[in-house]
Amino acid sequence: MKEKKQNSWFQFMMQTNRKWFILALFATVVNMYVTVLSANKMKELTNSAMNGNINQLTSIILIIILLLIIVIPFSMLKTYSSKRYSEGCIYTIRKKTMESLCHLEYVEIEKLRKGDVLSRYTNDIGSIQDFIDNYFLNLFFLPIEFLIAFVYLLRLNIAVTLAVTIPIPFLMFLVGKVTGKARTIVLQTQQAYGEVNCITQDAVNGIITLKAFSLEKIVDQKLDQAVGRVVEKQMKIAVLRGVMIPITNALELLPFIVTLSFGGYFVIKGYMTFGSVYAFLVLLNKFTASISRFPDAVTGLKFGQASFDRMFELWNLPKEETKHSEVQRINNEVAIEFDHVNFSYDGEHNVLKDICLSIHSGEKVAIVGSSGCGKSTLIKLLLGLYLPDSGEINIFGNKIKNVNREDIRKFTSYVSQDVFLLSESIGDNITGCDPKIAKDQIITAAKLADAHEFITDLDGGYDADAGENAVRISGGQKQRIAIARAILRDTPILILDEATSALDNQTEQKICTMIRETMQEKTVISVTHRLSSLSFVDRVIVIKDGIAEEVPYEEIWNQ
């Protein structure tokens, strides 16, 4: 079943953490209502003081104090609920983003630029959090405060209230004009940040190559151009914000100027009491705050929308389909079967042509061929990372295209040439961060992979860091850790994709001997260029021009 695409930021916000959003709105209404009651009592207090009615002063003051006490828990509720709502939304966004990345079709993952993905996960989510914290809720709070204050101001004096509100539509029109292009500019800015991250990440990952080929100046120039584009977009944003400042100031000051002018005139004429003008000014603070902050909230909305657009673009990329067929070992005799499989990357030129291959349970098969012949593509098809254009791939009788590919991968352990280690301890990398696995099981797997000795020589042993900071771990040692991880996973199929390429001959032969002696019941597929890696295999499959053909073992050695 295909997942419904997410395109509406407003729908997302309304569906996420809704109870805290409703509580925050409720607290806002109560707070504003208490503010109106307080303003009304301030009017009575002022009028009583002006009229010398001392008897009423004490009771009015006590009521005002009581209202101030009542508003405290609701103010706390508003603040707490708003933050819970904000953090809940950000948690959902981060979780959904990571889930989307983990379940993307592999072909989509290959198209992504790592720096841009990182920019979305940091810059864009940070922009969304700023939008939710400082602007989104205000899009609801401010109109509520405005309407409640407006109704009471009308009760105090209709003429003054209308005079105060006359300039507002014109100023709001200016706000719409100014912020109209903000969303596009912010989107371009975030894309520019993504480009900067991509260049920076390439420089960090390839620092040795950059130095060896003296490419530092070229990278500096590319980064300078990318940063220049960021600065250019940021300056456009600064201009927009600069234009908004006088509009905001006008929205703050004009109502007070109008109120003092008209209110003073009406007090002199006797149409309003001094207490009514004072209450009008008290509520005008809320009234003008709502109006003056609304343009900023609209600007923030444009910023948030642009970042949401980039997140939705990531979320809506095609994902692996979820099937309801249960994965079972239907055929225990044949572990892997390729039945007339064809595959192309562009839909026209087949990389693999009519592949027919059957591998029995417990068989050890080598896949060999020149670079670019399709060996790794065959493995990716086997792992369900790609689906064939035509033909069938079966794992223990399960057609890959008819079941969850994630479930199929539970039958396989995969060791690649380019080993990926988590930023965790060596022990956690071997176990896949599974706390249920005992230490003696980890050590046994490491010994079988000829890794135990060098691990114990490290500071910290199995607790030593194996992530980015593990500079003392060589490529060959990383491969042995990866082999230990595959051994401990204990799946019926083991896939080695140039998994011993960084090992010396002696260590490689130990691994081959281990596979031959301890994995008789496991199906092993080894993709390799090295003849020394063929010592444990039963059959050799050669791929040439996209066609798979079994070749006698002796013929490979003679070649």
Side-chain angles (χ1 to χ4, degrees), residues 129-317:
Q129 181 156 25
D130 180 62
F131 162 63
I132 298 172
D133 283 339
N134 300 314
Y135 304 110
F136 174 73
L137 290 173
N138 279 340
L139 292 172
F140 296 87
F141 294 161
L142 297 179
I144 289 172
E145 293 174 354
F146 173 84
L147 288 173
I148 294 175
F150 182 71
V151 169
Y152 186 71
L153 290 177
L154 285 174
R155 290 185 60 190
L156 287 174
N157 192 287
I158 295 176
V160 177
T161 304
L162 293 177
V164 165
T165 54
I166 284 173
I168 293 174
F170 173 71
L171 292 173
M172 287 300 178
F173 174 77
L174 287 179
V175 169
K177 284 291 185 181
V178 171
T179 59
K181 296 182 179 180
R183 184 174 180 177
T184 302
I185 295 173
V186 174
L187 183 61
Q188 293 171 349
T189 304
Q190 297 297 70
Q191 290 170 343
Y193 272 121
E195 187 179 354
V196 170
N197 282 351
C198 287
I199 295 171
T200 304
Q201 187 172 30
D202 288 345
V204 172
N205 292 339
I207 190 65
I208 296 176
T209 303
L210 293 182
K211 288 182 175 295
F213 286 86
S214 301
L215 299 175
E216 294 95 336
K217 288 185 178 180
I218 294 176
V219 173
D220 283 344
Q221 289 173 357
K222 289 179 66 177
L223 186 62
D224 186 59
Q225 291 171 358
V227 172
R229 285 189 284 272
V230 171
V231 172
E232 179 186 351
K233 302 302 179 185
Q234 286 286 13
M235 291 309 299
K236 290 183 179 180
I237 293 172
V239 170
L240 286 176
R241 290 193 179 279
V243 173
M244 291 302 300
I245 290 174
I247 297 176
T248 301
N249 291 339
L251 287 169
E252 287 178 346
L253 293 175
L254 278 176
F256 282 99
I257 295 171
V258 172
T259 299
L260 291 173
S261 301
F262 281 81
Y265 176 77
F266 287 156
V267 168
I268 294 171
K269 292 295 184 178
Y271 301 144
M272 290 180 72
T273 64
F274 187 77
S276 295
V277 174
Y278 183 74
F280 202 101
L281 289 171
V282 169
L283 274 181
L284 200 61
N285 278 315
K286 284 287 184 182
F287 185 80
T288 56
S290 302
I291 298 171
S292 62
R293 290 164 64 191
F294 198 75
D296 201 32
V298 173
T299 305
L301 169 63
K302 301 295 182 181
F303 281 58
Q305 282 179 318
S307 292
F308 266 117
D309 287 345
R310 279 169 55 81
M311 299 313 297
F312 292 157
E313 184 182 4
L314 195 61
W315 294 358
N316 292 333
L317 289 174

Side-chain angles (χ1 to χ4, degrees), residues 218-426:
I218 294 176
V219 173
D220 283 344
Q221 289 173 357
K222 289 179 66 177
L223 186 62
D224 186 59
Q225 291 171 358
V227 172
R229 285 189 284 272
V230 171
V231 172
E232 179 186 351
K233 302 302 179 185
Q234 286 286 13
M235 291 309 299
K236 290 183 179 180
I237 293 172
V239 170
L240 286 176
R241 290 193 179 279
V243 173
M244 291 302 300
I245 290 174
I247 297 176
T248 301
N249 291 339
L251 287 169
E252 287 178 346
L253 293 175
L254 278 176
F256 282 99
I257 295 171
V258 172
T259 299
L260 291 173
S261 301
F262 281 81
Y265 176 77
F266 287 156
V267 168
I268 294 171
K269 292 295 184 178
Y271 301 144
M272 290 180 72
T273 64
F274 187 77
S276 295
V277 174
Y278 183 74
F280 202 101
L281 289 171
V282 169
L283 274 181
L284 200 61
N285 278 315
K286 284 287 184 182
F287 185 80
T288 56
S290 302
I291 298 171
S292 62
R293 290 164 64 191
F294 198 75
D296 201 32
V298 173
T299 305
L301 169 63
K302 301 295 182 181
F303 281 58
Q305 282 179 318
S307 292
F308 266 117
D309 287 345
R310 279 169 55 81
M311 299 313 297
F312 292 157
E313 184 182 4
L314 195 61
W315 294 358
N316 292 333
L317 289 174
K319 298 176 181 61
E320 291 185 356
E321 286 191 54
T322 301
K323 308 286 186 177
H324 296 292
S325 301
E326 187 176 351
V327 177
Q328 298 176 343
R329 292 187 66 161
I330 301 170
N331 186 344
N332 282 316
E333 184 180 346
V334 179
I336 299 166
E337 183 180 18
F338 284 75
D339 185 14
H340 297 285
V341 169
N342 292 280
F343 178 79
S344 65
Y345 287 100
D346 58 8
E348 296 181 3
H349 305 92
N350 281 347
V351 177
L352 297 176
K353 305 169 185 175
D354 197 35
I355 302 293
C356 292
L357 178 63
S358 182
I359 300 174
H360 290 77
S361 295
E363 243 187 330
K364 314 295 184 286
V365 177
I367 308 291
V368 300
S370 59
S371 296
C373 69
K375 301 188 300 297
S376 293
T377 301
L378 186 78
I379 296 302
K380 288 173 182 176
L381 284 165
L382 179 58
L383 290 170
L385 299 177
Y386 299 136
L387 290 177
D389 297 336
S390 62
E392 300 284 354
I393 302 174
N394 301 319
I395 306 288
F396 292 113
N398 298 275
K399 293 182 179 180
I400 285 183
K401 69 178 183 180
N402 293 339
V403 296
N404 285 335
R405 284 175 268 170
E406 185 177 348
D407 293 336
I408 281 290
R409 292 175 196 131
K410 294 176 183 177
F411 287 130
T412 62
S413 294
Y414 173 66
V415 184
S416 69
Q417 180 177 8
D418 301 318
V419 176
F420 169 73
L421 296 181
L422 299 166
S423 295
E424 304 289 346
S425 68
I426 290 176

Side-chain angles (χ1 to χ4, degrees), residues 22 95 120-121 160 183 191 228 247 297 382 438 513 524 556:
I22 293 172
K95 187 172 183 237
R120 292 175 197 242
Y121 203 80
V160 177
R183 184 174 180 177
Q191 290 170 343
I247 297 176
L382 179 58
T513 302
V524 180
I556 295 293

Side-chain angles (χ1 to χ4, degrees), residues 9-10 12-14 16-17 20-21 24 78-79 81-94 124-141 293 296-297 300-305 307-308 311 315:
W9 67 270
F10 185 77
F12 171 81
M13 297 297 293
M14 290 295 98
T16 307
N17 234 19
W20 294 109
F21 175 74
K78 177 183 176 182
T79 302
S81 300
S82 299
K83 195 60 181 174
R84 281 295 298 265
Y85 175 72
S86 167
E87 292 301 323
C89 288
I90 294 302
Y91 169 80
T92 302
I93 291 170
R94 291 189 185 279
D124 285 296
I125 291 181
S127 178
I128 290 172
Q129 181 156 25
D130 180 62
F131 162 63
I132 298 172
D133 283 339
N134 300 314
Y135 304 110
F136 174 73
L137 290 173
N138 279 340
L139 292 172
F140 296 87
F141 294 161
R293 290 164 64 191
D296 201 32
L301 169 63
K302 301 295 182 181
F303 281 58
Q305 282 179 318
S307 292
F308 266 117
M311 299 313 297
W315 294 358

